[in-house]
Amino acid sequence: MNIQPHLKLEDEANFVERALIDLAGIRSGMLIKNFVSSAQKLKKFNCPSNGLPILIPLIPEMFVAYEKFDLPYERIKRLIFGSVPSNYIGCRLSLNRGNFLKRFTLNSQFQKKLDTYTREILLAQKRIQELINEFGSVGAFQTRNIPHLGHEKIIDKMLEQCELVVINPMVGPKKFGDIDCGKLRGLYDSVMKPRYKNKIHFIPIRANMFYAGPREAIHHAKLREWLGFTHFSIGRDHAGAEGVYKNNAAIEMTRKYENNLSIKIITHGGAYHCSACRGIVLHDDCNHSKEYLTEISGSEFRQTLKIQKHYSYAANDVQNWVFKNHHHLNLSQR
Ligand SMILES: [Zn+2]
């Protein structure tokens, strides 16, 4: 995932919003097994197959009563992210203090939002279970990008293994340059869904990203398991940013703990244009050497869209939709 560090750190509101999203995850049941309410409970997460620990930070204005516990910053940072620089975007987004809540009563002004987020998660779970009843196998593809031909190839590959693919972006606090999920839905509903003969749906899920790379890939698979999906796709740098995790580390870790998951994992090592195959291939799908391969780059695609130029490795109908809706999409801020 190609995430640039655009975050404005003074944005304390983001921490409040993240805490509410995590609370909704816990209350809906999706993250209940991940909630850490004491230092002792953190130990379970030494094993990556349990996903990521969810800690609710002590933000005084959010709670009217609480009991807290402390954890050293370095311990949590290392556990969640591994050895990454302390200014890594994942740490800056999700860790800003070492006091966490054991028990708490939420200030009533936040209750309505928490109820809304909780309902959204439960509704997404219900819709996915209805789709499972109808189609039998449904895969989740986590992306919040305008799709280029590499994304389309991944969707094609998933459709070889499941009857339906749900584009399932995780929606957390909006960051500078993020494309609004409602607008992305417009693209998938009006362009992609008809082209894929209704084999694609778009259902976002309210949840925070940590950018914790390989460990988060497993965490994401477990969330999809809870939602009811039968398949989940994981790429070579799933939930990584700023190049801190090794290529394919997410795939390798997921494979290592795959037996602990009931969801089937579909992995892909990135998309290329192969001049020998004369088309788009996923890594390892053809045996041609590097000189034939051009990597399909999400950031290059964004750059060309920004200046309303045509990108060779994205579908015309997608690009035409983007050009038509350009003024809504916020692309110039990226
Ligand atoms: Zn080839």
Side-chain angles (χ1 to χ4, degrees), residues 144-196:
R144 57 179 309 155
N145 291 314
I146 293 167
H148 52 52
L149 293 178
H151 297 115
E152 294 197 19
K153 198 74 187 172
I154 294 164
I155 295 170
D156 293 343
K157 188 174 175 179
M158 292 184 77
L159 284 171
E160 288 168 14
Q161 297 187 47
C162 23
E163 291 301 313
L164 187 82
V165 168
V166 171
I167 308 301
N168 186 223
M170 294 183 44
V171 187
K174 205 164 180 298
K175 295 195 303 303
F176 194 67
D178 275 354
I179 296 172
D180 185 286
C181 250
K183 285 158 192 156
L184 203 54
R185 174 192 295 282
L187 169 63
Y188 277 98
D189 283 353
S190 64
V191 178
M192 299 289 278
K193 201 171 170 177
R195 179 140 64 74
Y196 274 89

Side-chain angles (χ1 to χ4, degrees), residues 34 81 99 131 196 245-246 284:
N34 301 73
F81 298 99
N99 313 119
L131 291 173
Y196 274 89
Y245 298 108
K246 281 196 190 120
D284 288 338

Side-chain angles (χ1 to χ4, degrees), residues 3 9 38 40 75 87-88 92 110 133 168 197 207 219 233 251 270 299:
I3 306 295
L9 277 180
S38 68
Q40 178 68 19
R75 184 177 162 205
N87 63 350
Y88 176 54
R92 291 190 286 136
F110 297 100
N133 292 340
N168 186 223
K197 300 190 169 44
H219 184 70
S233 117
I251 292 177
S299 46

Side-chain angles (χ1 to χ4, degrees), residues 249-281:
I251 292 177
E252 284 159 21
M253 189 176 272
T254 316
R255 289 289 174 222
K256 189 171 166 192
Y257 294 102
E258 207 172 7
N259 291 340
N260 300 64
L261 299 167
S262 59
I263 195 166
K264 290 192 182 69
I265 305 295
I266 300 172
T267 60
H268 57 88
Y272 300 84
H273 179 267
C274 175
S275 57
C277 294
R278 296 187 183 183
I280 309 300
V281 295

Side-chain angles (χ1 to χ4, degrees), residues 45-320:
F45 296 93
N46 288 335
C47 179
S49 72
N50 290 318
L52 293 177
I54 299 296
L55 296 125
I56 303 300
L58 168 50
I59 301 172
E61 68 267 29
M62 282 185 76
F63 303 96
V64 285
Y66 53 79
E67 193 181 331
K68 70 178 180 82
F69 68 101
D70 301 333
L71 280 170
Y73 175 88
E74 272 305 317
R75 184 177 162 205
I76 314 168
K77 173 178 167 272
R78 181 163 283 275
L79 181 79
I80 297 179
F81 298 99
S83 48
V84 296
S86 46
N87 63 350
Y88 176 54
I89 189 170
C91 308
R92 291 190 286 136
L93 270 175
S94 61
L95 299 174
N96 75 332
R97 53 195 102 213
N99 313 119
F100 301 99
L101 296 179
K102 184 179 257 188
R103 270 183 279 276
F104 47 84
T105 308
L106 190 66
N107 190 324
S108 59
Q109 73 181 95
F110 297 100
Q111 196 60 46
K112 202 172 157 195
K113 204 168 197 184
L114 175 61
D115 291 345
T116 305
Y117 288 173
T118 308
R119 261 199 314 274
E120 280 176 9
I121 295 171
L122 292 171
L123 192 64
Q125 185 197 37
K126 187 167 168 268
R127 284 192 60 204
I128 288 151
Q129 284 168 353
E130 285 164 2
L131 291 173
I132 292 283
N133 292 340
E134 192 180 343
F135 291 91
S137 56
V138 181
F141 180 25
Q142 179 178 317
T143 178
R144 57 179 309 155
N145 291 314
I146 293 167
H148 52 52
L149 293 178
H151 297 115
E152 294 197 19
K153 198 74 187 172
I154 294 164
I155 295 170
D156 293 343
K157 188 174 175 179
M158 292 184 77
L159 284 171
E160 288 168 14
Q161 297 187 47
C162 23
E163 291 301 313
L164 187 82
V165 168
V166 171
I167 308 301
N168 186 223
M170 294 183 44
V171 187
K174 205 164 180 298
K175 295 195 303 303
F176 194 67
D178 275 354
I179 296 172
D180 185 286
C181 250
K183 285 158 192 156
L184 203 54
R185 174 192 295 282
L187 169 63
Y188 277 98
D189 283 353
S190 64
V191 178
M192 299 289 278
K193 201 171 170 177
R195 179 140 64 74
Y196 274 89
K197 300 190 169 44
N198 297 326
K199 291 278 187 182
I200 295 185
H201 280 233
F202 184 91
I203 306 176
I205 183 71
R206 185 73 64 178
N208 286 315
M209 285 286 298
F210 291 81
Y211 302 105
R215 284 200 63 137
E216 192 167 359
I218 296 179
H219 184 70
H220 286 173
K222 290 176 79 76
L223 296 193
R224 272 48 183 229
E225 210 172 78
W226 183 85
L227 287 167
F229 287 109
T230 52
H231 294 72
F232 182 52
S233 117
I234 288 179
R236 62 187 158 177
D237 189 23
H238 189 102
E242 300 174 1
V244 299
Y245 298 108
K246 281 196 190 120
N247 242 351
N248 294 322
I251 292 177
E252 284 159 21
M253 189 176 272
T254 316
R255 289 289 174 222
K256 189 171 166 192
Y257 294 102
E258 207 172 7
N259 291 340
N260 300 64
L261 299 167
S262 59
I263 195 166
K264 290 192 182 69
I265 305 295
I266 300 172
T267 60
H268 57 88
Y272 300 84
H273 179 267
C274 175
S275 57
C277 294
R278 296 187 183 183
I280 309 300
V281 295
L282 294 179
H283 189 253
D284 288 338
D285 279 359
C286 83
N287 293 321
H288 296 113
S289 60
K290 272 187 185 163
E291 70 216 60
Y292 296 103
L293 303 177
T294 309
E295 188 170 353
I296 300 179
S297 151
S299 46
E300 200 183 321
F301 181 33
R302 275 195 300 275
Q303 290 308 318
T304 55
L305 286 176
K306 218 196 276 193
I307 51 169
Q308 305 205 43
K309 285 273 189 302
H310 192 86
Y311 182 60
S312 314
Y313 306 128
N316 285 331
D317 53 2
V318 169
Q319 301 195 67
N320 290 339

